[in-house]
Amino acid sequence: MNDSTHADTHNHNHNAYEVETDIESNTPLAPERAHLQLAIEGMTCQACASRIEKVLNKKPSVYEVSVNFAGETANVDYDPTQTTPEQVTEWVNKTGFVANLQAADSLFEKTNEDTETQYPWRLIGLWICLVPFLVGMAGMVVGQGMAWMPPVWMQFILATIVQFGFALPFYKSAWASIKGGLANMDVLVVIGTVTIWAYSTYLWLTHGDGTLNSLLQSGHAGGHGESGSPAVYFEAGVMVIAFVRTGKYLEERTKKHSLNSIDLLLSLTPDEVEQQQPNGEFKNITLKEVQVDDILRAKQGSRVATDGVVIDGAGWCVESHLTGESVPLKKEIGDGLLAGALVENGSLLYRVRAKGSDTKLGDMVQALSDAQGSKANLARLADRVTAVFVPVVVTIALITFGLTWWLTGMVDTALMHAVSVLVIACPCALGLATPAAIMAGMGVAARHGVWFKDAQSLEAAGNIDTVVLDKTGTLTIGKPTIVDEVMVDKSIAVDDVLQIVASVEAHASHPLATALVNAATARGLPLFNVTDISVIKGAGIQANIEGLGLVKVGTAEFANLMLPKLMPKVWQIASTVAISINDEALGAFALADDLKSDTPQAITALQDAGINVILMSGDKQSVVDHVAGQLGIEQAYGKMSPRDKASQIALLQTAGHKVAMAGDGVNDAPAMATADASFAMFEGTDVAQHSASARLMGESLMHIDAAQKIANATLRNIKQNLFFAFIYNCLGIPLAAFGFLNPMIAAAAMALSSISVLMNALRLTHFKTKVDLDNTVSGSHTRAERLTKA
């Protein structure tokens, strides 16, 4: 039979029967495994994330931890019989951070909080203190020397306010980091700036005769040893703190408002809706007040607030936020609506079926949040480096200080060189390189209707060189129809045979089974009760019908049917479903399925990208060859059982290929589990969707091409970021050690390095694929056609 023989079909009815997926594993499953996502506050660099992971990984009740510095989240898999979410949260809090549980609706209910403008008062105060120093620095640039620099006593006051007031968060973070056993970026900043402040204060206090008058009179020229003033460097510490804090603020804004697509998704639902009252009138209520079964109205230009069903009116809706396809869909009475859909034309009255996190949009928000919080394998390299980075940098700074002092005999020069090393070596850019790109890539993929399960899935999709495709429901529409039939005994009515076949196939969900049941329903044929349903792998499905006996439905061989050699041509390109009763063949039906309209375009796009496309189907070889010939696929395998597909993919992997599998049935699950990456089609079975590393929310195969290209672009972006971050530190540290960078320039360069990594990641948000262009064109055509008809 086609693609999945009925031996591998899946039943979702009440009379369900067990279907083996043909997957063998020697790895025992954990008896209990629960997932938890935490929002983490207070992380300043990748070392913070590594510290949380280190602490939680030591707990025997925790299986796996992934902390995302860019997303400020932690994904924790734990044993619920040994610990609780509250206990996990407490463990994180003890490391010096603030962890909050992400409740089911928490993501969906924080739209207003996230969009509010919060003024950075601490940063503003910091820059106010910095202004006098900037004026003094400007004087140096225009040839005034230190004349514009404020007196040293004023420098001391401003620097002290900054060092022990506005910089207090740096101290808290550094101390918490040290207590946790790992040093983060803030440790470097605190060591460097407090050393500058202490050294400058010491020079100022020991200058002159030590009286208050001499202290106030010193430094009218601004310091640095001019006009008898002490060689202080208060401005260096203030500027370092200001630049680092500014960089952090820009990072936070970029992460929250530009990289994170979750906010964009959450903003798709309106704050207020029109609720129909019992008397027929409408009243505006908040979205939080809406209950299931309420009747709401969505007018032209507004967005649908919840998942629901149209009960009155008609209109055209755009659901591109979930499917990635911007072509409007006509909605009439009885049609389903998705939360966030834009009503482009018309007015709809709909009954609420799900709200908040229970909607398709809510599911996507949670899935995207989990995926963005996961960690790609490439990130492990950065983790290993940052774990030892700070101690190494402190050692280099001490060596720089000692050697410079010994070679020059100038302690202030040695100190500035050492501080520059501490500041320039901040591992922020390294920590942001991978998660920033993952966040952006996941968001772009979601907008294209591709839901990656986690970062590893996206990474795997970006490395594939081979795509294996199922046929029915993947390349084809998945709605075959009966095109011919043959009966062994001409005296038996075709409808009687169809009635028996449909009675058995009613317990399967494969497209061929659905087609036969639909045909029987269309002819008004009632179905028989069946018992003892069982599956014969690679052959078909059998059951008992009272009064008839054992009925077998499946391949011709399974039903003991010998088809004549000279059959009409349609039988050569159609799927065959044969039937026997008590092992006596009754006949067979030929079912044909049309290709999806854009399947040829999708295959060409994948091949043009250098991807080898292979067709594997449970259908007979003649049908598979016919479809492959239509699409220009050179490798096509028919009569493939689930084990055959998985084995063939394993052989390809052994040969060094990175393989992706796309399918929609239970029979595809083993192959999906074996492949490096896998895609479940939009209306695929639950087993297929759970086995896949990514779900396609549209029916088009172009989503696979988009997924591959987006994943590939994300990987390139990650590698660019990592390269830049590594080169930045490799070049910056020697330059600082040899005195080519003063602490102020080092601080500015460090902040710019993090921002540049984020800007590079932001380029992904503007990534365009063939799907974007096609949807724009087809969408404009559709609108033009509707206007013409109107």
Side-chain angles (χ1 to χ4, degrees):
M1 290 178 61
N2 182 24
D3 281 297
S4 83
T5 60
H6 292 303
D8 304 296
T9 53
H10 145 109
N11 178 26
H12 58 273
N13 297 333
H14 294 297
N15 298 323
Y17 55 90
E18 294 297 323
V19 179
E20 297 179 53
T21 59
D22 219 13
I23 304 175
E24 296 179 0
S25 174
N26 294 322
T27 304
L29 295 176
E32 292 286 346
R33 194 180 184 98
H35 180 74
L36 169 68
Q37 186 174 76
L38 300 173
I40 309 292
E41 297 177 15
M43 290 192 295
T44 58
C45 71
Q46 184 59 37
C48 299
S50 300
R51 176 155 53 93
I52 297 172
E53 289 182 351
K54 180 180 178 182
V55 170
L56 293 183
N57 278 323
K58 288 181 178 179
K59 307 298 182 182
S61 56
V62 174
Y63 296 124
E64 187 177 356
V65 182
S66 176
V67 179
N68 186 322
F69 166 51
E72 297 180 340
T73 58
N75 285 302
V76 184
D77 287 344
Y78 66 97
D79 185 347
T81 64
Q82 295 188 43
T83 190
T84 63
E86 291 74 19
Q87 180 64 64
V88 176
T89 303
E90 183 61 27
W91 288 335
V92 176
N93 291 339
K94 286 182 178 179
T95 63
F97 302 98
V98 179
N100 294 300
L101 292 173
Q102 293 279 41
D105 276 334
S106 61
L107 283 172
F108 218 80
E109 293 177 350
K110 64 179 184 179
T111 309
N112 293 336
E113 176 188 330
D114 283 354
T115 54
E116 289 178 356
T117 301
Q118 297 181 354
Y119 290 99
W121 297 114
R122 187 182 294 272
L123 181 61
I124 292 172
L126 180 56
W127 275 87
I128 290 174
C129 291
L130 179 61
V131 168
F133 293 107
L134 292 177
V135 172
M137 300 291 284
M140 296 173 61
V141 173
V142 298
Q144 295 296 317
M146 304 299 294
W148 292 3
M149 191 69 75
V152 178
W153 64 266
M154 184 179 292
Q155 294 184 43
F156 168 76
I157 293 174
L158 293 174
T160 303
I161 292 173
V162 169
Q163 193 70 47
F164 303 104
F166 295 124
L168 194 58
F170 287 95
Y171 287 87
K172 291 180 179 179
S173 173
W175 176 241
S177 174
I178 292 172
K179 284 198 303 181
L182 285 173
N184 64 4
M185 176 204 74
D186 290 338
V187 172
L188 300 180
V189 173
V190 167
I191 292 175
T193 58
V194 82
T195 301
I196 292 175
W197 178 88
Y199 178 69
S200 298
T201 302
Y202 169 77
L203 291 178
W204 174 54
L205 292 177
T206 56
H207 181 75
D209 58 12
T211 64
L212 177 62
N213 185 59
S214 66
L215 291 176
L216 294 177
Q217 291 298 319
S218 69
H220 285 291
H224 290 231
E226 294 187 11
S227 302
S229 63
V232 296
Y233 297 91
F234 286 117
E235 78 281 359
V238 174
M239 292 186 77
V240 166
I241 292 171
F243 286 152
V244 173
R245 187 65 197 93
T246 301
K248 286 187 177 185
Y249 174 72
L250 294 176
E251 283 176 26
E252 290 166 5
R253 285 191 59 84
T254 304
K255 289 187 294 184
K256 287 185 177 180
H257 301 290
S258 301
L259 283 180
N260 199 344
S261 298
I262 291 177
D263 288 344
L264 296 177
L265 291 173
L266 292 175
S267 66
L268 293 177
T269 53
D271 295 329
E272 288 191 346
V273 295
E274 292 185 78
Q275 181 194 51
Q276 188 179 49
Q277 304 300 303
N279 61 5
E281 295 181 356
F282 288 90
K283 175 185 176 183
N284 285 344
I285 64 172
T286 64
L287 183 57
K288 290 182 179 180
E289 297 178 82
V290 173
Q291 301 298 322
V292 173
D293 287 332
D294 280 357
I295 297 176
L296 307 179
R297 180 168 66 183
K299 295 184 290 189
Q300 181 174 337
S302 65
R303 288 193 178 272
V304 177
T306 68
D307 286 0
V309 177
V310 179
I311 61 173
D312 192 19
W316 295 82
C317 293
V318 178
E319 299 176 344
S320 58
H321 64 299
L322 290 178
T323 66
E325 297 173 354
S326 60
V327 179
L329 302 174
K330 189 172 185 180
K331 299 292 184 178
E332 298 176 312
I333 295 175
D335 289 338
L337 291 176
L338 298 178
L342 175 66
V343 182
E344 194 181 68
N345 193 10
S347 179
L348 302 167
L349 210 61
Y350 63 98
R351 188 180 301 279
V352 177
R353 290 298 182 216
K355 64 171 203 167
S357 61
D358 295 328
T359 63
K360 199 76 171 177
L361 176 63
D363 181 45
M364 181 179 185
V365 167
Q366 187 59 57
L368 182 58
S369 177
D370 288 342
Q372 288 184 337
S374 61
K375 188 169 292 186
N377 291 326
L378 276 173
R380 309 296 174 185
L381 174 62
D383 287 352
R384 288 194 294 269
V385 172
T386 53
V388 298
F389 200 78
V390 173
V392 170
V393 168
V394 172
T395 302
I396 293 174
L398 290 174
I399 293 173
T400 299
F401 176 77
L403 286 177
T404 305
W405 191 5
W406 179 58
L407 292 173
T408 65
M410 301 172 64
V411 67
D412 56 345
T413 301
L415 181 64
M416 290 300 106
H417 289 191
V419 170
S420 297
V421 170
L422 291 173
V423 175
I424 197 70
C426 166
C428 271
L430 199 59
L432 286 169
T434 302
I438 289 294
M439 288 177 68
M442 290 284 188
V444 174
R447 292 203 304 272
H448 284 77
V450 182
W451 295 10
F452 283 105
K453 186 177 292 184
D454 50 35
Q456 291 92 335
S457 300
L458 182 142
E459 188 173 12
N463 288 319
I464 61 172
D465 57 30
T466 303
V467 171
V468 174
L469 300 173
D470 179 43
K471 184 174 75 65
T472 303
T474 303
L475 296 176
T476 63
I477 296 173
K479 296 180 180 179
T481 56
I482 299 175
V483 294
D484 199 8
E485 64 272 330
V486 60
M487 297 296 121
V488 174
D489 187 344
K490 304 295 183 182
S491 64
I492 300 178
V494 173
D495 280 3
D496 291 339
V497 178
L498 177 60
Q499 184 179 17
I500 298 171
V501 170
S503 298
V504 176
E505 293 284 51
H507 299 273
S509 63
H510 188 272
L512 293 181
T514 304
L516 291 165
V517 174
N518 289 342
T521 303
R523 300 182 191 185
L525 305 175
L527 303 183
F528 298 115
N529 291 325
V530 299
T531 58
D532 302 324
I533 304 168
S534 61
V535 169
I536 309 300
K537 281 190 176 297
I541 182 173
Q542 65 182 27
N544 281 308
I545 297 180
E546 188 176 353
L548 292 177
L550 180 64
V551 178
K552 291 183 178 180
V553 180
T555 63
E557 294 85 353
F558 181 56
N560 292 327
L561 176 66
M562 292 291 292
L563 290 171
K565 291 184 178 181
L566 299 176
M567 293 288 286
K569 185 177 180 179
V570 68
W571 286 82
Q572 304 302 314
I573 60 173
S575 301
T576 301
V577 179
I579 176 176
S580 69
I581 296 180
N582 297 324
D583 291 328
E584 290 189 13
L586 260 66
F589 294 92
L591 295 94
D593 189 10
D594 292 329
L595 290 173
K596 294 177 181 176
S597 59
D598 60 356
T599 292
Q601 179 190 13
I603 299 301
T604 300
L606 287 168
Q607 292 173 335
D608 288 346
I611 305 294
N612 181 33
V613 180
I614 301 175
L615 175 57
M616 293 186 190
S617 171
D619 209 345
K620 56 188 178 183
Q621 191 65 48
S622 59
V623 176
V624 176
D625 288 340
H626 175 74
V627 172
Q630 286 182 294
L631 299 173
I633 298 176
E634 295 182 0
Q635 291 178 269
Y637 302 91
K639 298 185 72 64
M640 298 282 284
S641 70
R643 184 182 292 276
D644 292 337
K645 291 181 181 180
S647 298
Q648 189 65 36
I649 288 176
L651 286 175
L652 289 168
Q653 291 170 323
T654 302
H657 294 287
K658 299 294 184 181
V659 186
M661 171 71 192
D664 71 328
V666 174
N667 65 309
D668 299 317
M672 287 181 170
T674 305
D676 298 285
S678 51
F679 303 99
M681 303 307 293
F682 180 52
E683 294 184 344
T685 62
D686 289 341
V687 174
Q689 296 210 3
H690 282 95
S691 300
S693 57
R695 285 187 285 171
L696 307 181
M697 300 312 297
E699 297 179 355
S700 170
L701 271 185
M702 289 301 295
H703 289 293
I704 297 179
D705 178 63
Q708 189 273 330
K709 286 181 169 58
I710 292 169
N712 194 268
T714 303
L715 287 186
R716 286 199 307 271
N717 196 281
I718 290 173
K719 291 173 183 176
Q720 291 165 1
N721 285 347
L722 286 174
F723 174 79
F724 178 82
F726 275 122
I727 290 298
Y728 163 80
N729 282 297
C730 289
L731 294 178
I733 292 175
L735 288 175
F738 287 106
F740 294 105
L741 298 175
N742 63 43
M744 292 84 79
I745 296 176
M750 182 271 291
L752 287 174
S753 69
S754 298
I755 299 302
S756 62
V757 165
L758 291 173
M759 292 300 106
N760 189 45
L762 274 177
R763 292 191 306 110
L764 283 172
T765 62
H766 304 292
F767 187 82
K768 297 290 183 183
T769 68
K770 190 81 166 84
V771 175
D772 294 300
L773 302 176
D774 290 345
N775 283 342
T776 302
V777 174
S778 60
S780 61
H781 282 313
T782 305
R783 295 183 185 94
E785 290 167 4
R786 292 208 314 274
L787 291 173
T788 303
K789 291 178 182 178

